[in-house]
């Protein structure tokens, strides 16, 4: 060991002598050229190439740096590193892992091994700048073998951007937007006001037939993963859903489940707050991609202008045609007075016109309690592609409600007799999931009492329905007897007239 240390000391002395001789004999310009030549030789013979991704490009933030930081957080969380940075962004419900200063992380893409290093150095004294720069200079250095260079530049970086967008949407809380009255702008210059969307409804808790539920989920997945299909077929990347059925059947819960399933924001469009087709189009332009645009109770939200221009006592004649200038002036006057002048044509263009294609990956959802009141032009494919009937509570939906509110598995925790009574009672009445949920919520702490009161409520509903049916039958019989009596009296009167004539 003593000989080794002696040899190392001698080599270090020789290196120091050569370095001092180099500084004495060669001028600085020549030394710089020699070092540059050595660096080029090292780069030429090296098997790796390096790429620097700085946090700030000039005075602008480098979007690729943020994407790499977010992408590496998913790998850093599962790495064996002993020192990681933890952050939590605004409007985010999850904690993000990251590399510490000057730490390294290995990654693999398509069989190619790459190495990331988070380089942090102190920035030199700044000159005057309109935008002050941070004291630390941050960036990532990517090291990859030269034979994988084209793979990284052509595919790997694009993959990182897509993955970062997906992670950002997954980690960020959903937002629920609503439009301001008259298209007024908020403090950020947008016509939409937002609040965090915290609705807990999911397809797992949604009281609905499982077969129908699975069909809807598969359709949503096909839409979310169908960018290449829509581009190949020349169709706009959007889809429309119509939810119809009686009140209390879960239409709003279905919308919330769709948003939580796809991780989309919701834009709740209140048509009564929109005055003209122009305002409606501007609202559409301010919506983001990967969102659900909802218009609830479309049958009673507005009175479409070009469907209500009737005059006269007969109600069938339309108002006389006006010139373009008169129509525009009338629309402007109506807008100034706060009168809604949205037309059916404007609504159709909103859902299926050229302006509906200004974004991508958007879903339009309409709800109604009376589908027969909607104009057929709204119901065709391309505007409402999938019609979903939200029906009264069925046996499969009842089992889901029992599991949600009581923690009861109908097939194992309830006896066959009790479950048979419930199934027979639910099939005999028309009761909405909201009504059944109310009964279960009141008695959720006592399972037996909840099941008993639910069965009693179902039987009471069946008795009322039977009584109403009997009353309707009696009323029909009475009406039929009255009509028969009137007809008989009329026939007798005709016979008497004929007898008088003969006499």
């Amino acid at each position: 060991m003593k000989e080794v240390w002696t040899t190392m000391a001698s080599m270090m002395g020789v290196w120091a002598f050569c370095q001092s001789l180099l500084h004495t004999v060669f001028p600085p310009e020549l030394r710089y050229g020699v070092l540059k030549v050595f660096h080029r030789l090292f780069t030429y013979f090296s098997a790796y190439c390096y790429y620097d991704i700085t946090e700030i490009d000039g005075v602008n933030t480098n979007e690729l740096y943020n994407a790499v930081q977010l992408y590496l957080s998913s790998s850093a969380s599962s790495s064996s590193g002993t020192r990681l940075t933890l952050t939590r962004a605004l409007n985010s419900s999850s904690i993000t892992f990251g590399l510490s200063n000057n730490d390294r992380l290995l990654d693999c893409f398509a069989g190619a091994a790459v190495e990331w290093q988070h380089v942090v150095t102190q920035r030199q004294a700044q000159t005057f700048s309109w935008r002050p720069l941070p004291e630390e200079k941050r960036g990532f250095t990517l090291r990859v073998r030269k034979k994988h260079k084209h793979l990284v530049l052509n595919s790997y970086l694009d993959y990182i951007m897509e993955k970062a967008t997906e992670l950002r949407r997954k980690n960020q809380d959903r937002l629920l937007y609503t439009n301001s009255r008259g298209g007024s702008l908020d403090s950020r210059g947008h016509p939409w006001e937002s609040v965090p969307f915290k609705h807990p409804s999911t397809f797992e808790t949604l009281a609905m037939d499982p077969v129908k539920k699975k069909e809807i989920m598969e359709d949503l997945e096909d839409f979310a993963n169908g960018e290449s299909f829509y581009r190949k077929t020349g169709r706009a990347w959007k889809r429309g859903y119509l939810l119809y059925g009686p009140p209390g059947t879960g239409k709003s819960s279905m919308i919330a489940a769709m948003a939580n399933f796809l991780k989309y924001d919701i834009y709740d469009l209140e048509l009564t707050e929109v005055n003209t087709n122009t305002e409606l189009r501007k609202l559409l332009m301010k919506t983001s991609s990967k969102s659900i645009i909802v218009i609830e109770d479309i049958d009673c939200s507005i009175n479409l202008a070009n469907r209500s221009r009737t005059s006269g006592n007969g109600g069938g004649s339309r108002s006389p045609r006006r010139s373009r200038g008169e129509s525009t002036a009338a629309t402007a006057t109506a807008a100034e007075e706060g009168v809604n002048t949205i037309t059916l044509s404007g609504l159709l263009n909103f859902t299926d016109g050229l302006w509906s294609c200004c974004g991508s990956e958007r879903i339009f959802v309409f709800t109604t309690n009376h589908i027969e009141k909607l104009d057929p032009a709204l119901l065709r494919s391309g505007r409402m592609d999938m019609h979903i009937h939200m029906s009264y509570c069925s046996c499969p939906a009842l089992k889901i409600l029992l599991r949600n509110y009581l923690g009861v598995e109908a097939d194992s925790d309830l006896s066959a007799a009790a479950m048979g009574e419930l199934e027979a009672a639910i099939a005999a009445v028309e009761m909405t999931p909201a009504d059944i949920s109310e009964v279960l919520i009141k008695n959720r702490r006592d399972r037996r009492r909840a099941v008993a009161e639910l069965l009693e409520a179902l039987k009471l509903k069946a008795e009322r329905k039977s009584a109403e049916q009997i009353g309707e039958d009696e009323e029909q019989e009475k009406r039929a007897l009255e009509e028969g009596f009137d007809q008989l009296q009329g026939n007798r009167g005709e016979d008497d007239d004929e007898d008088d004539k003969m006499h």
Side-chain angles (χ1 to χ4, degrees), residues 8 33 54 62 74 128 212 231 257 260 274 307 355 367 395:
M8 290 182 60
T54 57
N62 190 354
S74 60
F128 175 77
K212 194 172 182 180
R231 185 179 301 172
N260 290 326
V274 185
R307 292 291 178 183
W355 288 100
T367 68
C395 293

Side-chain angles (χ1 to χ4, degrees), residues 113-284:
V114 297
E115 183 186 74
W116 290 95
Q117 182 182 9
H118 190 208
V119 181
V120 179
T121 57
Q122 291 294 328
R123 194 182 298 274
Q124 297 179 356
Q126 302 180 27
T127 58
F128 175 77
S129 175
W130 65 273
R131 178 184 177 183
L133 298 177
E135 296 181 357
E136 293 181 337
K137 184 178 180 181
R138 299 174 178 270
F140 288 99
T141 298
L142 171 62
R143 191 188 75 165
V144 62
R145 289 187 176 272
K146 290 182 178 180
K147 63 180 181 180
H148 299 144
K149 174 180 178 180
H150 298 289
L151 177 65
V152 170
L153 295 180
N154 296 334
S155 304
Y156 185 50
L157 296 180
D158 292 337
Y159 170 76
I160 289 176
M161 295 294 292
E162 294 176 1
K163 193 69 176 179
T165 302
E166 180 182 348
L167 291 172
R168 189 179 293 110
R169 187 174 72 249
K170 181 180 179 181
N171 296 335
Q172 189 175 6
D173 290 341
R174 309 276 76 74
L175 293 177
L176 174 62
Y177 293 87
T178 184
N179 53 304
S180 306
R181 182 170 182 81
S184 58
L185 304 180
D186 63 2
S187 58
R188 298 174 299 169
H190 294 287
W192 295 96
E193 300 174 357
S194 64
V195 294
F197 180 70
K198 300 291 186 180
H199 202 293
S201 177
T202 62
F203 278 107
E204 183 179 356
T205 61
L206 192 63
M208 193 177 183
D209 183 17
V211 177
K212 194 172 182 180
K213 191 189 305 184
K214 183 180 179 181
E215 180 184 354
I216 298 172
M217 294 172 65
E218 290 177 350
D219 189 79
L220 291 172
E221 284 184 344
D222 289 341
F223 169 78
N225 301 325
E227 180 179 8
S228 59
F229 168 78
Y230 282 90
R231 185 179 301 172
K232 180 179 65 176
T233 56
R235 291 171 59 93
W237 195 8
K238 62 182 182 62
R239 191 157 180 81
Y241 293 86
L242 173 64
L243 309 181
Y244 67 98
T249 52
K251 292 185 285 294
S252 298
S253 297
M254 169 64 77
I255 297 172
M258 294 169 67
N260 290 326
F261 180 70
L262 296 176
K263 308 298 182 184
Y264 284 5
D265 294 333
I266 295 180
Y267 289 85
D268 185 14
L269 178 59
E270 183 60 48
L271 288 180
T272 56
E273 303 294 335
V274 185
N275 294 326
T276 63
N277 294 334
T278 303
E279 289 183 9
L280 186 64
R281 186 164 57 245
K282 290 180 179 179
L283 286 171
L284 177 64

Side-chain angles (χ1 to χ4, degrees), residues 54 290 297 400 451:
T54 57
K290 299 182 183 298
D297 298 325
I400 297 175
V451 173

Side-chain angles (χ1 to χ4, degrees), residues 37 149 196 232 324 370 488:
V37 170
K149 174 180 178 180
K232 180 179 65 176
R324 181 180 179 88
H370 307 281
L488 181 62

Side-chain angles (χ1 to χ4, degrees), residues 33 59 97 173 183 223 321 346 398 422-423 436 459 472 496:
V59 294
F97 297 83
D173 290 341
F223 169 78
R321 180 177 297 178
L398 176 62
L422 286 175
E423 290 179 353
I436 294 179
K459 291 181 178 179
E472 291 179 359
D496 293 341

Side-chain angles (χ1 to χ4, degrees), residues 50-61:
Y50 298 84
Y51 299 96
D52 293 329
I53 302 174
T54 57
E55 180 182 15
I56 297 176
D57 182 16
V59 294
N60 299 319
T61 302

